[in-house]
Amino acid sequence: MNRVKKTDDKQRKLTKAEQKRQERFEITRAELENKGYEMKEHTLGLVYANFMAFIVAIPFLISPVLIYLLINPGRFNFSLGLLSLWLFLFIYFAAIVLHELVHGITWAAFAENHFKSISFGIMLEMLTPYCNCSEPLKKWQYIVGSLMPLLVVGMIPAIIGALTAVTWLFLIGLFMIVGAGGDIIVSFRLLKYKSDKNEVVVYDHPTKCGFITFER
């Protein structure tokens, strides 16, 4: 039977939030294993995930970029004064927060305990914000929650910005598409994962980038 590998966690000190999620996970794992579920871990290194994020996001960047170039030929203008630059950076960081909120809102809609199962934070070693769901979900629910920010904070603003020639909105959308690269990688990995078991639930990994499957 597979167990969650803790070698990476031993190389760094878990935060109090991570320790709490790990303890909650251990309780859930024991309950599911007592019901006959077997566990498998599916994780990504943060360095690998961040490196691959742009590459996997490229197909999703093509559509809004083509729309912008076709509808607004020669109209790209993004000259910023100091005040406008700070405003753009404020919107950019607000979009990052919104990205995580969309994860949380979507997963909370599926989770039995709703927002009680949702937590937010930052992986300080990579300065990577995260949203975590401490409750097992169906495969499609986990994927929808993973990819919803790509649509809501990335694709939709980028396409609207392209159609209306609002360059700052277009660029924010592009940045958020790239920012969803890790979510795309995780979702594709889960889509590719096949099980010969009748029941499969997915648990967001409590301390790493990735997920854990329980199946029986």
Side-chain angles (χ1 to χ4, degrees):
M1 186 175 294
N2 291 295
R3 296 288 177 179
V4 174
K5 298 176 182 178
K6 297 183 180 181
T7 54
D8 290 343
D9 292 341
K10 289 180 180 179
Q11 295 175 5
R12 66 180 179 87
K13 184 178 179 180
L14 297 181
T15 65
K16 290 184 179 179
E18 288 174 325
Q19 292 173 5
K20 185 176 180 180
R21 289 200 303 271
Q22 183 68 35
E23 292 169 359
R24 188 170 183 175
F25 166 74
E26 296 295 344
I27 294 172
T28 301
R29 182 178 72 177
E31 292 174 348
L32 291 173
E33 288 181 345
N34 286 336
K35 294 179 180 179
Y37 285 89
E38 294 184 2
M39 186 189 79
K40 294 183 180 179
E41 183 184 26
H42 313 261
T43 60
L44 300 170
L46 283 176
V47 174
Y48 171 82
N50 287 330
F51 174 76
M52 291 296 295
F54 178 76
I55 295 175
V56 300
I58 289 175
F60 299 91
L61 295 169
I62 292 174
S63 295
V65 169
L66 286 178
I67 291 172
Y68 192 98
L69 294 176
L70 290 172
I71 295 180
N72 311 289
R75 291 185 59 183
F76 186 87
N77 182 10
F78 197 61
S79 57
L80 288 175
L82 182 60
L83 181 60
S84 297
L85 175 60
W86 282 110
L87 180 59
F88 179 82
L89 291 175
F90 173 81
I91 296 172
Y92 171 72
F93 286 110
I96 293 175
V97 173
L98 180 59
H99 174 113
E100 302 305 331
L101 284 175
V102 172
H103 277 312
I105 291 170
T106 309
W107 280 330
F110 297 135
E112 290 185 6
N113 293 316
H114 303 297
F115 269 103
K116 291 181 181 180
S117 296
I118 306 300
S119 60
F120 303 91
I122 298 177
M123 293 183 178
L124 294 177
E125 66 271 21
M126 294 296 294
L127 295 178
T128 302
Y130 67 82
C131 171
N132 182 271
C133 180
S134 298
E135 185 174 317
L137 300 172
K138 295 179 180 178
K139 184 176 178 178
W140 71 268
Q141 293 173 334
Y142 187 87
I143 292 173
V144 170
S146 293
L147 294 180
M148 191 61 71
L150 169 67
L151 176 65
V152 174
V153 193
M155 295 295 295
I156 291 177
I159 291 174
I160 291 176
L163 292 172
T164 58
V166 180
T167 305
W168 67 265
L169 182 61
F170 170 69
L171 290 177
I172 289 292
L174 295 187
F175 288 145
M176 291 301 102
I177 291 173
V178 174
D183 301 324
I184 298 170
I185 295 172
V186 169
S187 297
F188 280 178
R189 176 165 291 194
L190 182 53
L191 281 170
K192 289 172 59 180
Y193 176 70
K194 304 297 181 184
S195 173
D196 58 356
K197 306 295 185 179
N198 294 325
E199 297 180 43
V200 178
V201 293
V202 183
Y203 194 103
D204 204 21
H205 201 291
T207 60
K208 302 176 186 177
C209 177
F211 58 91
I212 298 162
T213 54
F214 290 91
E215 52 191 65
R216 66 176 180 180

